[in-house]
Amino acid sequence: MITTVLSATAHGAEALVVSVEADLSPGLPSFQVVGLTDRAVQEARERVRAAIRNSGFDFPRRRLTVNLAPAEVPKGGTGFDLAIALACLAAGGRALTLGGVAALGELALDGAVRPVAGVVALVRALAVAGVPAVVVPMANAWEAGLVGGVRVLAAPTLAAAVAHLEGRAVLPPVPPAPAGGTVSRGAALPVAGPTDLAEIRGQGVARRALEIAAAGGHTLLLTGPPGSGKTMLAGALAGLLPDLTARATLEVAALHSLAGAYLAGPPPSMARPPYRHPHHSISLPGLIGGGRGLPRPGELSLASHGVLFLDELMEFPRSHLEALRQPLEERRLTVVRAQGAVVLPAEFTLVAAANPCACGRRRGCVCSPADLRTYRARLSAPLRDRLDLVVEVDAVPAADLLRSERSESTDAVRRRVADARGRQRRRAPTTGVALNRDLPVATLRERVGLERHGEVLVERAMASGVTARGVHRALRVARTIADLAGRERVATADVAEALGYRER
Amino acid sequence: MVGTRRPTGYGIAAARHLAAGVAAEGGIVISGLADGIDAAAHSGALDAGGVQIAVLGHGLDHQYPAAHHRLRVAIATRGAVCTEWPDPVPPAPFRFLRRNRLIAALADAVVVVEADARSGALGTARLAVALGRPLLAVPGGIFTPQSRGTNHLLRGGATLALSAADCLRAAGATTSGPTRSAGALGTAPGAFPDALPLDGDARRLRRVLADAALPVGQLAAAAGLPVARALAAATQLELFGLARAEAGGFRLGSPEGTVPIESAAAERAVVRIASRSAPPSPVRPERPDPATDPSPW
């Protein structure tokens, strides 16, 4: 007798529906799992056998074969345990109602259902495939509830799931959570990033650049000596981004879920954009995505729809920095491994901080000219060209620090950012993009609508060595500056300001 | 012409200016192809189309610093690149010190442009005095570390190097009246600021620019503009060669390597302005413009 339980496996940033088929045939007692599985799935045999016995059921004493289809897709992890157990029990003769039911979850030896990573993406794939109901671990129920369009049943144990499918008891359905709403432990939700702009005195140019970066999604590099406040300023960027849309919330949740970020419980707020700040000692797979089997989302993907902050940019290995180029152009990342290639989203706003030179002292710098050249060369020219806003930050004079008047707060600036983003969104039907940073080159001039003197400035800039890409990027920044000011046309001063942020 | 490898913008400008003036009068500029003042002197002489000599501290198989390879080739095409070392000898600090005595000996006069208190250029100055060569020094600010050595030389009796004519006179050359160095710099893009399409903000900001780089925040406060507009104004000035962006902010002067205003784009810009019925009213700068002032130094 063959029985089938649906489940799902992670595939890059997405998930694929997997059929767990169990066949019981005459022969010596054995238990095989096939279908391009990894070590964790092979070990599932021991967990499933123990969980079934310890839940008070009989483990079939004949030749038992489990196939995970499609067999050509590599599968890994412990999330198939529950589906394998249910398929085995059904094959062994228990009358489970399995029509279109999917199951996710790892089994403990005593039959308890343990949480797994990636539930948001897995349940979303099942919902898209039209699966009516999915049994998930209790601890993952809130994640599954984010998806909608599928009935979510939270199972504390294998026995409870079996009882439900036999019609003897009912698992409480999990109400779908409003996407973008709050799935939290009830605490007040902090809106700002790690720093609020109100805490920062002075730094007019840097504040302005942060606002532009937040409004148009442009890349920002803050340079300055240690202690000048670069990290604090960069930390304020995440707070300037408006709340995520419902779609973005789900995308962010799917990525973070796949990376196992929710195994310890829900984050304080689902609606706030992510803020990722990997240390420069991070491995390349950690940054772009990796792990056993098919790549899992890395930091670049986890920063999607939010902020990626690279502190001490120059200390990152060159390979890491060059890996930024594809996401900065295409907003996604192709990762190829022996097991296959996946495309991961990477739509982050980049903010980086760097010392002006290797010794880091503005006054009394002890670097030789050769040192300075070497330091500068750590960032390749193509990558430098992709930095839209390069701002020198210097320590704020003590007198300014002690002044009691508060600076403009993150909340106030975020409202202007939201207005500017609203203008970009309203143009989206014609431009095809939601953010100015993605304005296509072909229609850029038309979208920007330069005044004559603006054209002259652009010509001068190109004559003094700004690349064509540099000009295009500056024009996108100029469009954002005009959007912040509520202007339909880009003024000459907007172009000049945008060119002023480019590295010389 | 010798000096520190880590000059200020002033030092670079002075070295270029003096070297260009000397070369324009047919003088031969000799320097060491090192970073900083050496490179500025060579490129100044190069701009003026002059003959010059670079004395290396290593064999011809090597190039130090590597970044000056193109400069070396350019010097060799209209002058000489020479060394006392066989081709395979690599660069080493002590060879640069020995090289200095050749520079002093080859020269008819030695000009120190900028040197801090412990600069190797002061060694060259000592050798020059020992060899009986006239010694000149460019005066500098009393707060500038790179001018400490040169100011000290001046106190010790070195001749003031205020113009290319001073240098040529010390070297025993007769000059034909005022040097043409001002002419060599006269192509600086900022020569005709009133003809440029600058807006009111840019004109306002131009008046608060100084010889030292100031951060945009400070310029904005001085000009009474919001930082965003101040940055826009400073960038306009920079693109038209009236300001220069450096580490630490913007200052007066033209950016290095700026395409002269004679470029096609800017010419069109000026033509467009001229063809408008009401040209913007010219604003007279309050201070003499260094680009047009006949005695800029």
Side-chain angles (χ1 to χ4, degrees):
Chain A
M1 162 168 195
I2 295 175
T3 54
T4 301
V5 180
L6 294 176
S7 191
T9 187
H11 189 86
E14 302 292 324
L16 297 173
V17 175
V18 173
S19 295
V20 179
E21 303 163 348
D23 172 61
L24 201 58
S25 53
L28 285 173
S30 72
F31 184 14
Q32 292 298 322
V33 178
V34 298
L36 213 57
T37 60
D38 75 351
R39 184 89 188 273
V41 181
Q42 288 307 314
E43 289 172 354
R45 290 181 296 173
E46 299 306 320
R47 287 190 299 273
V48 166
R49 201 197 312 260
I52 285 179
R53 289 225 177 95
N54 292 328
S55 300
F57 306 124
D58 287 331
F59 191 82
R61 254 167 278 181
R62 273 184 290 164
R63 186 185 162 83
L64 179 59
T65 304
V66 171
N67 178 36
L68 308 185
E72 62 177 10
V73 179
K75 297 166 210 74
T78 54
F80 299 113
D81 289 8
L82 183 59
I84 292 174
L86 292 174
C88 291
L89 287 171
R94 294 199 80 92
L96 304 181
T97 320
L98 291 175
V101 171
L104 304 169
E106 174 184 326
L107 286 177
L109 297 186
D110 65 358
V113 181
R114 287 185 167 148
V116 291
V119 169
V120 178
L122 300 174
V123 172
R124 186 175 59 178
L126 292 164
V128 168
V131 174
V134 55
V135 183
V136 300
M138 216 50 168
N140 293 127
W142 68 272
E143 287 181 60
L146 291 175
V147 177
V150 59
R151 204 155 77 94
V152 176
L153 305 163
T157 61
L158 173 63
V162 169
H164 178 91
L165 295 173
E166 283 181 337
R168 289 186 283 116
V170 176
L171 288 177
V174 177
T182 56
V183 184
S184 77
R185 288 158 285 192
L189 303 174
V191 166
T195 17
D196 193 290
L197 279 179
E199 297 161 20
I200 299 170
R201 301 277 177 281
Q203 308 286 23
V205 183
R207 296 173 74 98
R208 170 77 172 164
L210 282 171
E211 185 172 337
I212 296 169
H218 308 288
T219 52
L220 170 63
L221 170 65
L222 301 166
T223 69
S228 53
K230 304 182 295 274
T231 309
M232 210 176 166
L233 283 160
L237 181 56
L240 293 180
L241 301 182
D243 280 350
L244 297 173
T245 60
R247 220 181 104 241
T249 306
L250 193 59
E251 261 179 56
V252 168
L255 286 164
H256 285 242
S257 175
L258 282 170
Y262 297 155
L263 288 176
S269 162
M270 297 299 298
R272 291 305 300 156
Y275 172 69
R276 308 295 296 191
H277 45 100
H279 186 256
H280 55 73
S281 62
I282 187 173
S283 70
L284 191 57
L287 190 70
I288 66 176
R292 282 168 295 124
L294 280 176
R296 296 268 171 103
E299 287 293 327
L300 298 186
S301 297
L302 295 180
S304 259
H305 298 286
V307 170
L308 177 71
F309 174 38
L310 301 181
D311 204 357
E312 307 294 357
L313 183 69
M314 301 295 198
E315 304 303 325
F316 279 83
R318 200 173 172 111
S319 54
H320 292 32
L321 295 176
E322 294 306 307
L324 292 171
R325 279 162 62 174
Q326 192 198 2
L328 287 180
E329 289 292 313
E330 302 172 19
R331 315 289 167 221
R332 62 202 170 85
L333 196 57
T334 314
V335 184
V336 183
R337 292 289 180 270
Q339 291 80 5
V342 292
V343 175
L344 299 168
E347 295 178 47
F348 50 83
T349 298
L350 175 69
V351 55
N355 288 333
C357 62
C359 81
R361 292 182 246 182
R362 168 148 295 165
R363 289 169 199 86
C365 164
V366 295
C367 297
S368 71
D371 287 343
L372 293 177
R373 268 195 290 271
T374 313
Y375 188 73
R376 213 186 124 76
R378 287 194 204 170
L379 220 53
S380 71
L383 190 59
R384 282 180 183 278
D385 217 22
R386 286 169 171 84
L387 298 172
D388 297 316
L389 310 156
V390 180
V391 175
E392 270 183 39
V393 178
D394 207 349
V396 177
D400 287 3
L401 277 182
L402 296 174
R403 222 181 288 156
S404 58
E405 76 213 46
R406 280 173 74 79
S407 316
E408 195 176 24
S409 72
T410 290
D411 284 334
V413 179
R414 191 177 52 248
R415 276 191 285 277
R416 280 202 301 275
V417 168
D419 284 349
R421 285 198 166 206
R423 270 182 212 100
Q424 297 169 54
R425 228 182 357 262
R426 279 194 291 283
R427 279 198 307 271
T430 34
T431 59
V433 295
L435 283 175
N436 286 336
R437 70 169 175 211
D438 295 319
L439 283 173
V441 172
T443 53
L444 189 58
R445 290 292 180 123
E446 186 186 322
R447 288 280 94 76
V448 169
L450 277 187
E451 295 171 351
R452 268 195 329 188
H453 290 171
E455 296 278 0
V456 173
L457 286 184
V458 166
E459 285 172 37
R460 287 294 298 164
M462 292 196 76
S464 66
V466 177
T467 63
R469 175 171 44 222
V471 165
H472 290 144
R473 298 191 76 102
L475 289 179
R476 294 186 185 112
V477 172
R479 181 63 260 176
T480 300
I481 292 172
D483 282 330
L484 278 167
R487 276 194 283 274
E488 278 310 308
R489 265 179 83 99
V490 174
T492 302
D494 299 339
V495 180
E497 189 186 345
L499 287 168
Y501 291 117
R502 289 206 70 77
E503 194 182 45
R504 306 302 196 278
Chain B
M1 190 168 296
V2 293
T4 177
R5 292 189 299 143
R6 300 171 43 80
T8 62
Y10 164 72
I12 292 175
R16 289 181 78 110
H17 173 77
L18 295 177
V22 166
E25 282 299 323
I28 299 174
V29 174
I30 305 170
S31 196
L33 199 62
D35 278 310
I37 295 298
D38 284 18
H42 283 305
S43 56
L46 201 63
D47 288 349
V51 175
Q52 46 181 326
I53 301 173
V55 186
L56 308 183
H58 48 77
L60 290 176
D61 286 353
H62 295 270
Q63 174 52 43
Y64 181 86
H68 291 169
H69 175 71
R70 284 168 67 184
L71 188 57
R72 170 168 154 180
V73 170
I75 292 168
T77 52
R78 271 192 59 75
V81 176
C82 57
T83 175
E84 63 180 308
W85 302 100
D87 289 354
V89 173
F94 78 92
R95 294 201 183 96
F96 290 110
L97 292 176
R98 285 180 63 93
R99 174 269 314 267
N100 291 346
R101 83 194 197 292
L102 287 185
I103 294 179
L106 284 169
D108 291 320
V110 170
V111 185
V112 185
V113 178
E114 269 190 335
D116 61 33
R118 304 185 307 118
S119 171
L122 297 182
T124 314
R126 264 190 299 278
L127 288 164
V129 173
L131 292 166
R133 303 284 185 270
L135 177 65
L136 299 93
V138 175
I142 59 170
F143 299 120
T144 318
Q146 287 93 332
S147 288
R148 229 163 259 163
T150 43
N151 287 345
H152 186 75
L153 290 176
L154 289 169
R155 184 158 64 187
T159 309
L160 272 169
L162 300 181
S163 66
D166 288 346
C167 305
L168 289 164
R169 202 175 303 118
T174 49
T175 67
S176 54
T179 66
R180 274 186 274 136
S181 62
L185 290 179
T187 53
F192 309 101
D194 292 341
L196 298 175
L198 298 175
D199 61 20
D201 284 0
R203 286 166 197 279
R204 242 163 108 183
L205 194 97
R206 180 150 183 265
R207 276 176 247 150
V208 299
L209 284 177
D211 288 326
L214 294 173
V216 175
Q218 221 167 309
L219 292 171
L225 293 170
V227 283
R229 277 167 63 186
L231 177 64
T235 306
Q236 288 189 47
L237 291 174
E238 184 199 355
L239 290 175
F240 286 106
L242 300 173
R244 182 171 163 159
E246 280 184 354
F250 287 87
R251 70 178 189 82
L252 271 179
S254 62
E256 243 175 307
T258 291
V259 180
I261 197 73
E262 287 80 5
S263 83
E267 219 164 67
R268 278 201 299 280
V270 176
V271 170
R272 278 180 206 167
I273 295 300
S275 65
R276 291 199 322 193
S277 52
S281 64
V283 177
R284 282 251 64 85
E286 279 153 10
R287 74 177 83 225
D289 184 332
T292 52
D293 189 351
S295 60
W297 310 104

